[in-house]
Amino acid sequence: MVDGQEQVPAGRRWQDARVLWAYLRLGRPVRPCDAALVFGSHDLGVADQAARLYRAGMFPVAVFSGGANRIRPQEFPDGEAVGFAARARALGMPAAAVLLEPAARHTGENLTLSRAVLAAAGVRVRSLMLVSMPYMERRTYATCRLRWPEVEPVCASVPIGLDAYAAGIGDRRLVVEKLVGTLQRVVEYPRRGFAVEQQVPEPVLAAYRRLVAGGFRGQLAGDRA
């Protein structure tokens, strides 16, 4: 314990994290789309999944989007988009299938700036695969419905459980704080005009409140979109 905060979530706190994980993941089937948007982050598993989906014929072209990484900047010295695209190319995506959007600072800009990149490349988009971290599916969906309502979003992420995911990231506390921060944005961002509103069941809100009260506040949003 430091400053009254739990450093490694366990027991009831981990069960609450499971509740948020289950809600934030949509878990819907994927299908072929006109293009993909690959959301940059600290998790290179997203780039791995994008490469797998490309090889499976799920999209012909992808925009890799994201600027500087705030969590693990040393791993992405040239930014998220460049790092993720390099990983995907190393896993078999051809350069012709890779577009870059290296400036986005948040999910809203991922959508808006990537839309412009696809338009400039002459890609007609009616369906868009949103490739993200597993717990970002609901948030990317809600943001896309507001920022780009003309397209049909299809969310895609690595099919994995919370325990295995946290083990891969190597930081259980960070994962729980990211879950808490993402749920906060799902709840609050519609009021700020950043995303469409979604129903959040009371058990999910109760788990969120307990985690916040337990000190898992490191990824809560200020005024960023």
Side-chain angles (χ1 to χ4, degrees):
M1 301 274 290
V2 177
D3 296 331
Q5 296 185 0
E6 299 179 32
Q7 295 306 297
V8 180
R12 179 59 182 270
R13 297 292 184 248
W14 195 243
Q15 292 305 314
D16 285 338
R18 290 184 195 279
V19 172
L20 268 60
W21 176 269
Y23 172 74
L24 293 169
R25 292 195 67 215
L26 295 176
R28 296 171 181 168
V30 297
R31 64 171 183 80
C33 292
D34 296 321
L37 195 172
V38 184
F39 290 83
S41 66
H42 63 280
D43 178 8
L44 271 172
V46 177
D48 296 353
Q49 181 69 352
R52 283 191 289 267
L53 291 166
Y54 174 81
R55 293 196 302 268
M58 290 294 122
F59 51 81
V61 63
V63 181
F64 289 78
S65 175
N69 185 271
R70 292 184 293 271
I71 294 176
R72 294 176 174 172
Q74 71 282 358
E75 296 183 16
F76 304 97
D78 299 314
E80 296 169 350
V82 173
F84 274 42
R87 176 70 162 245
R89 288 196 297 268
L91 293 172
M93 279 192 71
V98 174
L99 300 173
L100 290 179
E101 184 295 292
R105 299 166 295 174
H106 51 70
T107 305
E109 287 187 351
N110 289 135
L111 266 300
T112 302
L113 298 178
S114 294
R115 179 178 184 174
V117 168
L118 286 163
V123 181
R124 183 184 179 191
V125 182
R126 292 155 296 186
S127 58
L128 181 67
M129 186 163 290
L130 308 176
V131 188
S132 71
M133 294 181 290
Y135 57 84
M136 283 291 290
E137 286 190 355
R138 187 175 289 276
R139 182 179 169 200
T140 59
Y141 173 85
T143 307
C144 185
R145 294 304 298 149
L146 182 76
R147 297 275 182 142
W148 200 348
E150 301 91 337
V151 305
E152 181 181 356
V154 176
C155 295
S157 67
V158 176
I160 192 171
L162 175 58
D163 292 86
Y165 182 80
I169 294 297
D171 188 337
R172 281 166 62 110
R173 182 176 182 88
L174 173 62
V175 171
V176 173
E177 289 191 332
K178 294 292 284 185
L179 291 171
V180 170
T182 303
L183 195 281
Q184 180 208 26
R185 289 160 174 80
V186 168
V187 172
E188 294 188 3
Y189 276 13
R191 295 194 291 269
R192 301 189 193 183
F194 297 153
V196 299
E197 188 168 0
Q198 301 176 88
Q199 183 178 5
V200 184
E202 180 55 36
V204 176
L205 292 172
Y208 163 78
R209 288 191 289 264
R210 286 191 295 267
L211 288 167
V212 171
F216 297 95
R217 306 175 60 88
Q219 296 295 318
L220 292 178
D223 297 324
R224 284 201 316 270

